[in-house]
């Protein structure tokens, strides 16, 4: 290139860059984008992002809103603004002027809103609920137009088990009748926020924008509409949130506010995934650090909740979604991995704003002695109180994967279920366990039960009647198989009939096989019954050690009682002499099986091989 031309070009480039830098001194992002009047905590902290934004001085003149503090951080492209919102403030657009001297260089705003009536008093999920878990990419594709979105890193590939399959919020919304027909009262969706990752973005756990629903699932408005529709039907929506990590393509990863916004190491350092370290009185600091500060996966940078600004960002984000969309619960991912004190602060803040709201933690620990560390009010030696009310019952899930496959022994077969319940002496709130046989990370029930419908029904009967809140994973009513240890893709199948052109529509009776219908009908009878059964919601438990492969337990409350009898023998029916249960049966004269309606007297009862009877007792 000619030398003079090169000089001219450089001059132009410099001028363009100069103009761009002037032009860029404006907020590109202000988060949260809106807030509400009338929270217990009247403050909101705004994250403002824009090139060189910290060289400008923000100012707000809005009645009832004051800018209390401006926080500068290492990165000049960020400002954090503490706003105080008086209960007398009126809804409207709160403008923020960014000034140099007296001259306004740029402006931004947030919307200030009135809270919905009764917002603070909303009821969370509780023992009266039964939760249906859906992976949104894999349930139903109502809108093919959003399957691939221009400018996003991953498109549609339904042939790849780890690809995006096109399911969306509208698809789920259109099948709420189906979910309700099964007797479920609450829906937990795997994360729906933007995951603009180049691969495996379908599962939703690598969030790239905490304030945006992934457009391949729908818009923020669509999510709100989904929650509204559910609420008007009496279905509670549980949002899956992730405080431990974000996606590697999160917008802030190119330009972090502070070096310790995320946990960084000289090179990629995964967590040791040894959750016992956190509660372990003898654990080495280095091990605890690695558990909680190591990354969950290469594509998931670890968020540092010890950074107050980061912690506030996440806490406000969860409140924003609750208030914006009308949620009734949160399932928090990888609960023991982030800073535990930050997590406790989060729960306390939520309970301050929403005293009856519910959070369940994914606490993947299969021993009750270790799991109980994470339940509210447990007298931990180190003084830690998580304040977390609901725990995923992983010890029970672990037992359920084995119990129906084994013969009777000191610690095998149904004795496993008995022993997990026996550990309830540890829990202050045993009714607050969420009970499940599988989720989106585990092998499908039908996989570990070898497709045996009888075992599936026994597991369903147990989950529906044992203390706690039952949770079911979509598709297992169709006996879907899949080995979670081999492939996560394989346990997250498309629901047949959810896609245009599907040959089979399993949302209808006609589209299902006989055994699928048997499972669907059984599940539906069980959970419809449970819906109205206060004794199953709140009742106490009495159980008798398994004998001759028969396990008998009772739920009782006042005069009401339900008796569950399970025969784990593969081929022999068992005639049970009921006098063994005299200490409770003395109060009752007869019973009715809740699925079949069959009447029983209480002298002897024959439990068919590999089956469960659920008998409501009468005087
Ligand atoms: Ca779609």
């Amino acid at each position: 290139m000619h030398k003079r031309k090169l000089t001219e070009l450089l001059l132009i480039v410099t001028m363009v860059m100069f103009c761009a830098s002037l032009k860029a001194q404006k907020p590109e992002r202000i988060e949260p984008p809106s807030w509400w009047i009338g929270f217990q905590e009247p403050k909101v902290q705004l994250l403002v992002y824009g090139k060189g934004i910290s060289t400008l001085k923000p100012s707000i003149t809005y009645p009832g809103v004051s800018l209390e503090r401006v926080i500068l951080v290492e990165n000049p492209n960020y400002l954090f603004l503490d706003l105080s919102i008086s209960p007398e403030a009126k809804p409207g657009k709160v403008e923020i002027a960014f000034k140099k001297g007296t001259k306004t260089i740029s402006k931004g705003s947030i919307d200030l809103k009135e809270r919905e009536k009764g917002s603070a008093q909303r009821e969370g999920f509780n023992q009266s609920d039964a939760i249906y878990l859906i992976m949104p990419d894999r349930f139903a594709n109502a809108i093919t137009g959003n399957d691939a979105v221009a400018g996003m890193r991953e498109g549609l590939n339904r042939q790849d088990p780890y690809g995006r399959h096109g399911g969306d919020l509208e698809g789920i919304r259109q099948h709420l009748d189906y979910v309700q027909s099964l007797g479920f009262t609450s829906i937990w969706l795997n994360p729906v926020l933007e995951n603009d990752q180049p691969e495996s973005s379908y599962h939703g756990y690598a969030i790239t924008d905490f304030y945006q629903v992934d457009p391949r699932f729908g818009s923020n408005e669509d999510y709100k509409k989904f929650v509204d529709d559910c609420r008007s039907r009496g279905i509670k929506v549980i949002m899956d949130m992730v405080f431990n990590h974000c996606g590697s393509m999160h917008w802030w990863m190119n330009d972090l506010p502070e070096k310790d916004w995320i946990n960084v190491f000289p090179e990629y350092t995964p967590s040791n995934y040894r959750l016992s370290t956190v509660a372990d009185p003898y654990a080495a600091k280095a091990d605890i650090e690695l558990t909680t500060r190591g990354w969950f996966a290469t594509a998931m940078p670890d968020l540092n909740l010890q950074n107050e600004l980061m912690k506030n960002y996440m806490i406000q984000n969860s409140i924003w979604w609750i208030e914006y969309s009308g949620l009734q619960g949160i399932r928090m991912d990888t609960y023991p991995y982030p800073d535990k004190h930050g997590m406790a602060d989060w729960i306390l803040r939520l309970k301050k704003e929403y005293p009856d709201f519910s959070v369940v933690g994914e606490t993947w620990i299969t021993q009750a002695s270790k799991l109980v560390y994470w339940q509210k009010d447990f007298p931990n030696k180190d003084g830690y109180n998580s304040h977390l009310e609901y725990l995923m019952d992983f010890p029970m899930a672990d037992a359920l994967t084995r119990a129906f496959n084994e013969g009777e022994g000191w610690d095998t077969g149904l004795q496993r279920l008995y022993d997990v319940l026996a550990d309830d002496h540890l829990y202050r709130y045993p009714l607050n366990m969420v009970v499940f046989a599988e989720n989106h990370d585990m092998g499908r029930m039908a996989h570990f039960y070898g497709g045996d419908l009888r075992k599936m029904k026994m597991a369903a009967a147990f989950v529906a009647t044992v203390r706690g809140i039952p949770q079911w994973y979509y598709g297992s009513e169709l006996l879907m198989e899949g080995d979670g240890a081999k492939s996560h893709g394989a346990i997250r199948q498309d629901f047949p009939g959810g896609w245009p052109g599907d040959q089979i529509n399993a949302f209808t009776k006609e589209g299902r096989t006989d055994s699928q219908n048997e499972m669907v009908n059984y599940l539906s009878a069980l959970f419809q019954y449970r819906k109205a059964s206060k004794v199953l919601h709140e009742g106490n438990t009495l159980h008798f050690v398994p004998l001759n492969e028969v396990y008998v337990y009772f739920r009782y409350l006042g005069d009401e009682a339900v008796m569950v009898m399970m025969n784990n023998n593969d081929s022999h029916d068992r005639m049970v002499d009921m006098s063994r249960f005299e200490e409770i049966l003395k109060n009752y004269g007869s019973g009715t099986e809740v699925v079949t309606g069959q009447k029983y007297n209480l002298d002897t009862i024959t439990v068919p091989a590999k089956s469960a009877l659920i008998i409501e007792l009468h005087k």
Side-chain angles (χ1 to χ4, degrees):
M1 194 184 286
H2 193 274
K3 199 180 170 189
R4 200 177 132 208
K5 272 202 168 159
L6 185 67
T7 314
E8 277 173 6
L9 187 69
L10 277 174
L11 191 68
I12 292 166
V13 168
T14 311
M15 280 180 70
V16 167
M17 280 174 70
F18 179 71
C19 293
S21 74
L22 267 189
K23 211 177 154 191
Q25 274 180 333
K26 62 174 188 191
E28 290 166 34
R29 284 175 182 271
I30 299 182
E31 292 176 348
S34 53
W35 205 247
W36 291 267
I37 304 154
F39 278 124
Q40 294 292 317
E41 174 64 56
K43 289 187 192 335
V44 63
Q45 184 168 75
L46 304 181
L47 174 155
V48 181
Y49 179 69
K51 289 277 176 291
I53 196 74
S54 67
T55 60
L56 303 179
K57 194 173 171 344
S59 91
I60 291 175
T61 47
Y62 188 95
V65 177
S66 57
L67 176 56
E68 292 210 327
R69 193 161 67 124
V70 177
I71 303 163
L72 300 178
V73 292
E74 292 159 15
N75 185 337
N77 299 331
Y78 286 84
L79 279 175
F80 289 83
L81 312 180
D82 283 354
L83 270 54
S84 178
I85 298 167
S86 135
E88 281 79 42
K90 296 277 174 287
K93 198 177 268 297
V94 178
E95 276 205 346
I96 308 161
F98 295 89
K99 297 182 175 179
K100 195 153 240 167
T102 53
K103 190 180 173 207
T104 298
I105 305 293
S106 57
K107 283 179 177 178
S109 67
I110 65 159
D111 290 324
L112 194 59
K113 300 179 187 175
E114 204 91 68
R115 295 182 72 186
E116 202 177 305
K117 207 163 170 281
S119 171
Q121 292 77 34
R122 73 189 63 205
E123 185 189 53
F125 61 82
N126 55 43
Q127 291 78 10
S128 71
D129 289 301
I131 303 168
Y132 191 67
L133 165 60
I134 293 174
M135 178 145 289
D137 184 56
R138 305 294 167 87
F139 195 65
N141 184 8
I143 304 170
T144 51
N146 65 13
D147 291 356
V149 169
M152 297 198 78
R153 294 185 175 87
E154 192 177 15
L156 184 76
N157 185 354
R158 212 181 155 196
Q159 273 61 56
D160 178 359
Y162 287 87
R164 292 199 80 100
H165 292 192
D168 45 46
L169 288 166
E170 180 58 17
I172 304 167
R173 202 184 66 82
Q174 289 177 7
H175 291 98
L176 293 175
D177 281 345
Y178 171 76
V179 175
Q180 282 191 301
S181 74
L182 296 174
F184 293 99
T185 61
S186 191
I187 294 179
W188 156 26
L189 301 182
N190 295 116
V192 295
L193 300 184
E194 186 195 274
N195 269 234
D196 193 9
Q197 293 287 120
E199 55 187 22
S200 289
S201 67
Y202 74 96
H203 58 60
Y205 288 97
I207 296 169
T208 55
D209 186 336
F210 285 98
Y211 281 99
Q212 206 61 55
V213 166
D214 195 294
R216 292 161 292 193
F217 293 142
S219 62
N220 285 7
E221 291 73 23
D222 292 334
Y223 184 69
K224 182 172 163 47
K225 181 174 150 70
F226 170 74
V227 179
D228 280 347
D229 270 24
C230 284
R231 200 159 48 149
S232 68
R233 289 164 168 263
I235 301 175
K236 297 169 183 170
V237 176
I238 301 170
M239 193 179 206
D240 201 330
M241 289 191 180
V242 192
F243 278 17
N244 182 60
H245 48 260
C246 62
S248 53
M249 296 295 160
H250 190 286
W251 62 265
W252 62 39
M253 288 308 294
N254 290 325
D255 199 20
L256 290 171
E258 298 184 290
K259 280 194 281 297
D260 70 349
W261 192 254
I262 58 170
N263 289 309
V264 281
F265 299 83
E267 58 192 22
Y268 172 70
T269 305
S271 172
N272 54 18
Y273 311 103
R274 298 297 192 272
L275 295 181
S276 51
T277 61
V278 184
D280 176 0
Y282 310 126
K285 280 200 186 73
D287 286 340
I288 301 175
E289 286 273 296
L290 205 53
T291 307
T292 58
R293 299 172 80 94
W295 288 22
F296 198 76
T298 45
M300 296 174 175
D302 199 71
L303 300 174
N304 179 18
L305 295 192
Q306 287 180 0
N307 179 315
E308 284 292 316
L309 297 172
M310 153 49 65
K311 182 181 76 182
N312 272 344
Y313 182 92
M314 298 310 287
I315 290 175
Q316 291 183 164
N317 180 257
S318 74
I319 292 173
W320 192 88
W321 281 109
I322 296 169
E323 198 66 27
Y324 170 77
S325 67
L327 293 174
Q328 289 175 277
I330 290 173
R331 177 266 187 190
M332 178 52 73
D333 189 52
T334 46
Y335 203 91
Y337 286 92
D339 176 59
K340 64 184 179 186
H341 302 293
M343 296 304 276
D345 290 348
W346 170 58
I347 298 282
L348 287 175
R349 176 68 198 283
L350 284 191
K351 296 305 274 188
K352 187 173 166 188
E353 303 297 354
Y354 310 97
D356 297 326
F357 190 82
S358 304
V359 176
V360 55
E362 186 211 16
T363 39
W364 197 327
I365 298 167
T366 54
Q367 287 163 291
S369 57
K370 296 181 172 68
L371 178 55
V372 73
Y373 182 83
W374 296 99
Q375 197 178 51
K376 179 184 165 176
D377 299 339
F378 186 73
N380 287 314
K381 261 187 156 175
D382 62 3
Y384 180 69
N385 188 344
S386 74
H387 301 289
L388 174 66
E389 288 172 300
Y390 296 93
L391 298 178
M392 286 291 178
D393 196 344
F394 278 95
M396 192 63 89
D398 186 54
L400 278 167
T401 61
R402 305 157 198 251
F404 308 116
N405 291 336
E406 295 173 336
E408 187 178 305
W410 290 110
D411 55 3
T412 59
L414 298 177
Q415 187 65 38
R416 288 186 186 277
L417 306 180
Y418 180 98
D419 284 344
V420 172
L421 285 178
D423 275 343
D424 275 6
H425 70 90
L426 289 166
Y427 301 116
R428 177 88 185 266
Y429 310 103
L431 291 178
N432 286 2
M433 305 304 285
V434 174
V435 185
F436 56 100
E438 54 170 355
N439 62 27
H440 60 289
D441 286 327
M442 301 165 63
R444 286 266 183 192
M445 292 166 78
H447 164 72
F448 47 76
Y449 299 152
D452 189 333
L453 181 60
R454 301 172 308 163
K455 295 179 183 175
M456 296 285 293
K457 287 164 76 172
M458 288 175 84
F462 185 77
V463 167
T465 58
V466 74
R467 93 305 183 241
I469 305 172
Q471 174 246 297
W472 187 263
Y473 184 40
Y474 85 96
S476 279
E477 65 274 20
L478 304 180
L479 313 174
M480 280 183 181
E481 298 200 19
D483 183 353
K486 279 198 187 130
S487 156
H488 272 168
I491 52 173
R492 300 162 179 180
Q493 301 96 322
D494 298 347
F495 196 104
W499 273 250
D502 277 0
Q503 298 296 304
I504 292 167
N505 181 5
F507 286 112
T508 67
K509 189 175 135 206
E510 296 72 28
R512 295 189 286 260
T513 64
D514 289 347
S515 47
Q516 286 173 337
N517 272 322
E518 190 177 337
M519 191 68 215
V520 165
N521 295 341
Y522 187 73
L523 201 64
S524 160
L526 264 183
F527 283 100
Q528 296 295 353
Y529 175 79
R530 190 190 185 280
K531 217 192 260 186
S533 173
K534 206 172 169 199
V535 63
L536 291 182
H537 303 163
E538 298 169 21
N540 211 331
T541 298
L542 172 71
H543 63 170
F544 292 78
V545 290
L547 190 66
N548 299 324
E549 295 172 280
V550 176
Y551 179 33
V552 179
Y553 61 91
F554 298 80
R555 302 291 308 282
Y556 64 97
L557 184 72
D559 289 343
E560 287 178 56
V562 169
M563 170 174 69
V564 181
M565 305 181 77
M566 292 190 162
N567 175 4
N568 207 18
N569 190 281
D570 211 42
S571 48
H572 297 290
D573 298 352
R574 294 281 192 228
M575 193 172 80
V576 181
D577 175 358
M578 302 300 283
S579 62
R580 189 177 164 225
F581 316 114
E582 169 69 15
E583 64 185 80
I584 182 162
L585 285 185
K586 64 176 187 272
N587 303 318
Y588 302 95
S590 65
T592 309
E593 212 284 333
V594 307
V595 175
T596 60
Q598 193 179 331
K599 304 275 188 241
Y600 287 89
N601 75 51
L602 303 177
D603 301 329
T604 57
I605 290 179
T606 298
V607 191
K610 241 355 162 216
S611 76
L613 297 175
I614 302 164
I615 298 173
E616 187 182 284
L617 299 174
H618 313 301
K619 288 277 173 193

